[in-house]
Amino acid sequence: STPDKYMPFRMLKYHIGIWDEHIKQAKEEGNADKGLPLIVGLVFYNGREPYTYSCDIKDLFNAPMELIEKVWNKPFKLIDAQG
């Protein structure tokens, strides 16, 4: 295996795929309110060289860390046009 700078992004895509499949199955079973499972991401690296990249997706963003900490993975802002 080789180090991958974008592994945190890949892991996020894997998690989203798992959640998407979970939602589809829950809807088919008539249990759409089931909620999402908590996923603990693990990566086993067996490369010859040390793994030097960050495991934190926040380090991939091209923005100041203070801003990233304020907005990343926080509840979205809702503008309710109904009232």
Side-chain angles (χ1 to χ4, degrees), residues 6 10 66 77:
Y6 292 99
R10 286 176 54 193
E66 293 173 356
K77 306 298 182 199

Side-chain angles (χ1 to χ4, degrees), residues 11-27:
M11 293 295 291
L12 179 61
K13 291 193 312 184
Y14 298 151
H15 289 187
I16 290 170
I18 293 167
W19 288 325
D20 190 46
E21 187 61 31
H22 176 82
I23 290 169
K24 288 176 187 175
Q25 288 180 2
K27 285 181 180 179

Side-chain angles (χ1 to χ4, degrees), residues 17-66:
I18 293 167
W19 288 325
D20 190 46
E21 187 61 31
H22 176 82
I23 290 169
K24 288 176 187 175
Q25 288 180 2
K27 285 181 180 179
E28 288 174 3
E29 296 168 359
N31 196 5
D33 295 331
K34 191 173 174 178
L36 297 175
L38 178 64
I39 300 170
V40 178
L42 300 173
V43 174
F44 292 94
Y45 173 70
N46 65 350
R48 294 182 181 197
E49 299 176 15
Y51 194 88
T52 57
Y53 293 114
S54 174
C55 297
D56 190 341
I57 195 167
K58 291 182 280 188
D59 292 328
L60 295 177
F61 291 111
N62 184 14
M65 189 54 72
E66 293 173 356

